[in-house]
Amino acid sequence: MASHLASLYLSFFLLVALTCGVGAATSSPNCTKIGQGYHLISIEETSEGGLIGHLQVKKKNNIYGSDIQLLQLYVKHETDNRLRVHITDAEKQRWEVPYNLLPREQPPALKQTIGRSRKNPITVSEYAGSELIFSYTADPFSFAVKRKSNGQVLFDSSWDDTDAFGPLVFKDQYLEISTKLPKDSSLYGLGENTQPHGIKLYPNDPYTLYTTDISAINLNADLYGSHPVYMDLRNVGGEPFAHAVLLLNSNGMDVFYRGTSLTYKVIGGVFDFYFFSGPTPLNVVDQYTSLIGRPAPMPYWSFGFHQCRWGYHNLSVIEEVVDSYNKAQIPLDVIWNDDDHMDGKKDFTVNPVNYPRPKLLAFLDKIHRIGMHYIVIIDPGIAVNASYGVYQRGMANDVFIKYDGDPFMAQVWPGALYFPDFLNPKTVSWWGDEIRRFHELLPVDGLWIDMNEVSNFCSGKCTIPKGKQCPTGTGPNSTCCLDCKNITKTRWDDPPYKINASGIQAPIGHKTIATSAVHYNGVLEYDAHSIYGFSQTVATHKGLQGLQGKRPFILSRSTYVGSGKYAAHWTGDNKGTWEDLRYSISTMLNFGIFGVPMIGSDICGFYPAPTEELCNRWIEVGAFYPFSRDHASHDSPRQELYQWESVAESARNALGMRYKLLPYLYTLNYEAHISGAPIARPLFFSFPSYTSCYGTSTQFLLGKGLMISPVLEQGKTQVNALFPPGTWYSLPNPTSFITSKNGVNVNLNAPLHVVNVHLYQSIILPMQQGGLLSKQARMTPFTLMVTFPAGATEGEAQGNLYLDDDELPEMKLGSGASTYVDFYASLKQGSVKIWSQVQEGEFALDKGWIIEKISVLGLEGNAAPSSLQLDSVPLVGGSDMEVHTSDQKYSPEGQEDYEQKATMVDVSGLKIPVGKNFAMTWKMGVSR
């Protein structure tokens, strides 16, 4: 839904920030480094095998408040590949991300007696684990983390007078720490923001983390989510090494990346660092999601195409939309409602006039019967309305965030409202009950939780005005109409250090909940602000899990560390511009690193208005987003994919390809769920040794080897694409391939309705025949596409396939309702073999899934295969089976007189059960 704030562009270059922080100019006129740091006064081993020590401030100062004198240091190798460094006040409990919200090990209690403490510890000491080594210097205290295998320093908080940063600072409302970085580090992460320079972090760009409802068209500003984690990829002597660093802290922060250093400036909480050793990018996300939670299993239908619009004003409109997609023969699985279905914009209600419940139920029954699904929006704010049952029950259960002892009043679409406090267990129960009641009213298939940063049209302490209507009019209106007074009386509302909120140093309570408001158990909004959307997501997931035993689908705008365990995400309010189309790729790839692999952007743009050409190109990208949805604002022209015939043609082509790839996408969802592997990945995930792709932000992979190279510029009918070393086959036209030893840039033809998709060598890709609904497409026969390096005489290929009853809450083997297949292929001494190893094949056998066709690409020679056998039984004529060979060609640019050749063999008419092991072999004939 549209942001209530106007577009806020960065209005100044933060030169002062590079030395001492955004807010330093007012509190520290000379912008000097703050203090002299701490020194280590004691350290010992704990009974669990960690280290615990105490740090004492060297010299107090009052810049941004007084220093905390005594700190507790706790260090532990929690796993072979994860190191934790936790620093907090040694004498007083401080705010941390709640352990029940994000489960993890708890550090030792404060004031623990230091048994064998050393009053004068040695100057340097090391604490080694399996993969990482923690070392420290006692005075001034600093620490480093290095890789055990090669001594590579991953994090180093030491400093000297020549550095642009200073020592460790730990005050109540200001924490600072820095690390040195080598010049060749490539950093990714630190979101959510829209990065104009691409996926790599860009030196001297501001990175502020504080969940905020400003439009995603704002560049380099804190957006809807907070993810204080980065991945660092380095190439050392031709060998790649990746690691990640998480600072688990929910308070607002600025992170300054200078190219050779990185500095955190945080306005509260603790330093709770986790270091993940990698050494590959996939290892990193595996290790990261093992801590924060594995990505949620998604229903199969959620990988179909989704259509939404803010402004489907009555039921007849969405009926017309569904019919029009069908008439245009464009796939559509899910129809959405923004708040148009609500009665007075109130959560958990249905508009009796525009969406009369009997007719809406009949519509849902109709689409459910054919396999379509329906999702609606829910905002967190509950309208203040004495006749509104949700409000009545909320008040009775005392579930709302408080200010001065009363529920904190705000304004969003329905007018005056209160915000539920999802840190309160009673709120979670009440919310789940409201979801149950609503589902009985309207059997929706998922929930879309929006505006949960939290968004507020007003600022300060507000009351309902007397003698005037608020809000006025019938259309959407984000103008504050409550009577409000600014709240600046506490240090929580006006902290000493000013983060670069909204890219303009906005007050942190601006257009959100007042930061001195109070949650359950006295928790301040100041501390918990950026986990509000996360806490709502967890509560919503719990509520949906209790319904009919089905797998939940949740789409959340605000996210935090761990949100991917429960929900999908979209990139918020973008605009129908070519720039926004390009930005969507970097944001999508970042969220894969954040552990939120089900991610996409509003196709064709949320704000008005895309051109016909742009919408053509956007669906050619969006058809390959993990989450693929067209969504637009109420004041945009209609932009469903059938509105232009040219866009409809591009949609049929691109979505037609997506629906054939659904089994592959769903298998990637399973891989994400068990290992954290992103669905959409940067090229460096599969080619970490190939430094040319470290900054590639205009192409992406699905899984390890399916590459999308879209047109992202107006008027272009070619795209210059980077191809990492090896052989790449065109998916729409497998007789065409590109191959190189060292990687190559190629100008690809890309007329308006064409998107270039290439499959890498040594892969077995399972596909089906597509359809207009995922339910239909899912029951069609399979094709296996097997790729060898072009013209190779020897090679191997692998692939896999996961199938299950996607309605079940859990995604796992052993349930009796799933099958997993590993596919293998080998090419050796003129013989080709393709075989499978099936786990728990009964489910696939019961469903009747068969492999109808096997295509093998990249073979040497061009003669037909001979001695074809299936499970050691010769395949002879008379059956439906057919064997067909095709020439494959590649002419490098500038070498049109040279042609590299290979052969593709198609074996079709097969009826191989997916649920049984099989082996197919043949011998290649003699080349002509």
Side-chain angles (χ1 to χ4, degrees):
M1 190 177 291
S3 169
H4 61 265
L5 291 177
S7 172
L8 295 171
Y9 289 99
L10 297 177
S11 57
F12 57 91
F13 183 71
L14 302 172
L15 184 61
V16 66
L18 303 184
T19 305
C20 51
V22 174
T26 56
S27 299
S28 178
N30 297 321
C31 287
T32 55
K33 296 168 185 175
I34 300 172
Q36 298 178 16
Y38 286 75
H39 66 280
L40 184 69
I41 59 171
S42 64
I43 192 163
E44 71 162 4
E45 287 190 24
T46 68
S47 57
E48 295 82 19
L51 297 179
I52 191 163
H54 285 97
L55 310 174
Q56 190 169 52
V57 70
K58 289 173 69 67
K59 185 178 180 180
K60 283 193 170 187
N61 66 76
N62 290 313
I63 301 172
Y64 304 136
S66 60
D67 296 279
I68 293 176
Q69 183 161 334
L70 192 65
L71 303 179
Q72 177 175 287
L73 166 71
Y74 173 64
V75 184
K76 186 180 180 185
H77 294 279
E78 292 190 336
T79 70
D80 286 349
N81 46 47
R82 183 173 83 224
L83 170 69
R84 185 181 190 183
V85 179
H86 184 278
I87 302 174
T88 187
D89 188 331
E91 298 177 311
K92 183 181 176 184
Q93 192 73 36
R94 289 182 62 80
W95 164 258
E96 298 186 49
V97 176
Y99 283 79
N100 61 342
L101 197 63
L102 189 63
R104 58 201 188 279
E105 289 185 34
Q106 296 216 29
L110 300 178
K111 297 183 180 179
Q112 178 170 314
T113 301
I114 306 300
R116 302 177 304 281
S117 61
R118 299 188 290 269
K119 294 291 177 69
N120 297 298
I122 56 175
T123 305
V124 177
S125 187
E126 290 190 343
Y127 167 54
S130 297
E131 301 293 337
L132 298 174
I133 297 173
F134 172 86
S135 63
Y136 64 85
T137 301
D139 190 9
F141 174 77
S142 67
F143 73 89
V145 178
K146 60 185 177 182
R147 199 178 292 282
K148 192 173 184 179
S149 61
N150 59 9
Q152 185 181 85
V153 178
L154 310 186
F155 194 95
D156 179 3
S157 71
S158 66
W159 64 284
D160 60 38
D161 291 340
T162 65
D163 290 316
F165 53 88
L168 169 70
V169 181
F170 204 116
K171 301 167 185 281
D172 192 24
Q173 289 183 267
Y174 182 79
L175 286 66
E176 180 182 327
I177 196 169
S178 302
T179 180
K180 297 175 180 178
L181 292 168
K183 289 182 180 179
D184 62 350
S185 283
S186 294
L187 267 58
Y188 312 87
L190 294 180
E192 179 179 4
N193 58 20
T194 300
Q195 298 177 190
H197 296 109
I199 187 174
K200 279 176 68 171
L201 297 188
Y202 194 78
N204 302 332
D205 272 358
Y207 295 96
T208 298
L209 282 66
Y210 189 72
T211 60
T212 308
D213 174 15
I214 59 171
S215 165
I217 67 177
N218 293 286
L219 308 181
N220 289 330
D222 45 313
L223 297 181
Y224 312 106
S226 176
H227 294 272
V229 62
Y230 68 85
M231 180 186 292
D232 182 338
L233 177 60
R234 306 174 187 178
N235 192 289
V236 181
E239 191 173 359
F241 294 92
H243 69 274
V245 180
L246 166 67
L247 172 55
L248 188 58
N249 182 304
S250 64
N251 290 81
M253 68 179 78
D254 290 327
V255 186
F256 298 103
Y257 171 51
R258 303 175 186 85
T260 56
S261 66
L262 186 142
T263 298
Y264 298 90
K265 301 191 176 192
V266 194
I267 60 172
V270 302
F271 285 130
D272 194 3
F273 281 105
Y274 292 84
F275 300 91
F276 306 90
S277 65
T280 70
L282 277 175
N283 292 153
V284 166
V285 291
D286 186 3
Q287 295 154 14
Y288 181 56
T289 57
S290 73
L291 172 70
I292 68 167
R294 298 297 195 193
M298 295 290 164
Y300 198 90
W301 53 261
S302 69
F303 288 92
F305 184 68
H306 303 244
Q307 178 61 53
C308 186
R309 176 181 171 82
W310 184 22
Y312 287 152
H313 294 304
N314 56 54
L315 177 59
S316 64
V317 179
I318 62 170
E319 289 176 321
E320 175 262 325
V321 169
V322 171
D323 288 343
S324 296
Y325 267 95
N326 187 52
K327 287 176 184 175
Q329 293 291 283
I330 300 170
L332 179 66
D333 258 81
V334 191
I335 187 74
W336 293 57
N337 263 131
D338 207 309
D339 65 9
D340 303 289
H341 70 286
M342 295 181 182
D343 183 11
K345 313 293 184 186
K346 298 190 298 294
D347 282 352
F348 305 118
T349 63
V350 176
N351 187 308
V353 177
N354 294 336
Y355 283 83
R357 182 169 176 259
K359 290 184 178 180
L360 183 53
L361 289 175
F363 169 72
L364 293 190
D365 184 57
K366 176 183 175 182
I367 66 169
H368 283 155
R369 278 201 310 270
I370 64 171
M372 283 189 66
H373 292 80
Y374 176 63
I375 293 173
V376 299
I377 199 168
I378 297 288
D379 291 342
I382 302 300
V384 176
N385 186 323
S387 63
Y388 173 35
V390 180
Y391 168 79
Q392 294 168 352
R393 291 184 290 272
M395 290 297 290
N397 284 281
D398 192 23
V399 301
F400 299 114
I401 292 171
K402 301 289 182 61
Y403 187 86
D404 284 346
D406 296 317
F408 175 80
M409 180 169 285
Q411 180 193 330
V412 190
W413 304 115
L417 49 75
Y418 298 151
F419 290 118
D421 174 12
F422 293 104
L423 298 184
N424 186 341
K426 285 173 63 176
T427 307
V428 175
S429 299
W430 161 82
W431 187 254
D433 184 58
E434 296 301 338
I435 290 173
R436 178 191 60 78
R437 290 169 181 268
F438 181 59
H439 196 266
E440 290 174 358
L441 182 75
L442 191 66
V444 298
D445 299 296
L447 289 176
W448 170 20
I449 52 178
D450 191 16
M451 309 290 281
N452 52 351
E453 291 75 29
V454 159
S455 179
N456 180 2
F457 298 163
C458 302
S459 300
K461 183 176 182 179
C462 303
T463 56
I464 297 174
K466 295 180 180 179
K468 71 172 183 178
Q469 185 180 347
C470 175
T472 58
T474 56
N477 189 338
S478 59
T479 303
C480 179
C481 57
L482 301 177
D483 287 340
C484 302
K485 296 179 181 179
N486 284 339
I487 301 174
T488 57
K489 64 183 180 183
T490 77
R491 60 193 178 102
W492 312 115
D493 302 299
D494 187 23
Y497 177 81
K498 309 297 188 279
I499 62 170
N500 192 31
S502 299
I504 56 169
Q505 286 190 33
I508 57 174
H510 179 69
K511 297 293 184 79
T512 186
I513 299 170
T515 43
S516 54
V518 179
H519 293 251
Y520 179 68
N521 268 354
V523 169
L524 288 169
E525 168 69 9
Y526 179 89
D527 293 316
H529 172 86
S530 288
I531 61 169
Y532 187 91
F534 178 42
S535 64
Q536 186 198 13
T537 302
V538 174
T540 304
H541 188 270
K542 186 174 183 180
L544 283 176
Q545 264 193 324
L547 299 178
Q548 302 178 347
K550 290 188 176 182
R551 187 176 299 175
F553 179 85
I554 301 166
L555 182 72
S556 179
R557 190 168 73 176
S558 186
T559 59
Y560 185 70
V561 175
S563 285
K565 182 179 178 181
Y566 307 97
H569 175 61
W570 92 108
T571 63
D573 299 342
N574 61 357
K575 198 170 185 178
T577 69
W578 293 94
E579 291 80 11
D580 284 74
L581 171 58
R582 287 196 293 275
Y583 301 153
S584 74
I585 295 177
S586 293
T587 307
M588 170 182 69
L589 297 178
N590 264 329
F591 269 86
I593 294 171
F594 296 154
V596 189
M598 192 63 163
I599 169 73
S601 294
D602 288 344
I603 292 169
C604 298
F606 177 74
Y607 290 122
T611 64
E612 182 175 350
E613 181 191 2
L614 175 61
C615 213
N616 269 278
R617 293 308 191 186
W618 209 316
I619 187 56
E620 291 171 355
V621 180
F624 302 97
Y625 293 154
F627 171 64
S628 183
R629 184 183 72 157
D630 182 322
H631 179 44
S633 178
H634 64 92
D635 54 358
S636 296
R638 292 282 293 269
Q639 64 182 46
E640 293 86 2
L641 301 179
Y642 54 78
Q643 295 289 346
W644 303 272
E645 179 49 41
S646 70
V647 177
E649 183 177 345
S650 292
R652 284 189 288 270
N653 290 341
L655 289 173
M657 209 179 308
R658 179 188 182 90
Y659 273 60
K660 291 177 183 178
L661 291 167
L662 285 176
Y664 179 64
L665 289 169
Y666 193 66
T667 300
L668 292 176
N669 178 32
Y670 175 69
E671 290 184 9
H673 182 56
I674 62 171
S675 72
I679 297 172
R681 306 174 191 176
L683 271 59
F684 67 76
F685 263 66
S686 289
F687 303 95
S689 298
Y690 186 52
T691 56
S692 296
C693 72
Y694 282 13
T696 300
S697 305
T698 55
Q699 298 168 257
F700 59 95
L701 298 172
L702 293 177
K704 65 181 180 180
L706 191 68
M707 185 167 70
I708 319 300
S709 305
V711 171
L712 302 173
E713 295 180 73
Q714 184 177 1
K716 299 290 187 181
T717 56
Q718 281 194 328
V719 59
N720 186 263
L722 177 66
F723 286 84
T727 303
W728 296 87
Y729 296 93
S730 169
L731 190 66
N733 178 21
T735 60
S736 172
F737 67 88
I738 290 165
T739 190
S740 69
K741 289 183 179 179
N742 301 309
V744 64
N745 279 85
V746 178
N747 286 314
L748 302 171
N749 288 325
L752 190 61
H753 306 303
V754 170
V755 57
N756 281 280
V757 181
H758 288 82
L759 182 63
Y760 193 54
Q761 66 187 35
S762 306
I763 287 174
I764 302 178
L765 176 69
M767 300 171 68
Q768 287 175 287
Q769 295 179 1
L772 296 181
L773 275 168
S774 64
K775 182 179 180 180
Q776 298 169 356
R778 198 177 190 196
M779 296 315 298
T780 60
F782 280 85
T783 293
L784 299 182
M785 188 172 283
V786 182
T787 60
F788 292 118
T793 56
E794 292 192 358
E796 294 182 342
Q798 282 185 277
N800 48 28
L801 176 65
Y802 176 82
L803 302 160
D804 73 357
D805 177 354
D806 70 312
E807 294 287 311
L808 294 178
E810 294 193 55
M811 190 180 216
K812 63 179 184 179
L813 293 173
S815 64
S818 58
T819 293
Y820 186 83
V821 186
D822 282 304
F823 296 109
Y824 302 93
S826 66
L827 170 63
K828 192 172 184 180
Q829 296 177 341
S831 294
V832 175
K833 180 179 180 181
I834 304 108
W835 72 100
S836 71
Q837 292 182 355
V838 179
Q839 298 180 52
E840 303 181 29
E842 293 83 3
F843 176 73
L845 291 172
D846 288 345
K847 292 291 184 181
W849 279 306
I850 62 164
I851 299 167
E852 191 271 339
K853 181 180 178 182
I854 296 175
S855 297
V856 182
L857 283 61
L859 297 170
E860 186 186 29
N862 57 6
S866 61
S867 305
L868 186 63
Q869 294 188 344
L870 179 62
D871 297 329
S872 301
V873 177
L875 289 170
V876 294
S879 69
D880 294 331
M881 186 199 72
E882 293 183 3
V883 179
H884 181 73
T885 62
S886 305
D887 291 337
Q888 297 177 288
K889 300 177 182 179
Y890 171 54
S891 294
E893 289 183 74
Q895 302 180 44
E896 283 71 16
D897 56 339
Y898 168 78
E899 201 170 66
Q900 183 169 344
K901 295 183 178 181
T903 296
M904 176 172 72
V905 173
D906 292 317
V907 183
S908 59
L910 301 168
K911 295 180 181 177
I912 302 171
V914 171
K916 287 181 65 176
N917 292 346
F918 79 91
M920 175 177 282
T921 59
W922 70 74
K923 293 189 179 296
M924 292 301 297
V926 179
S927 300
R928 296 194 299 272

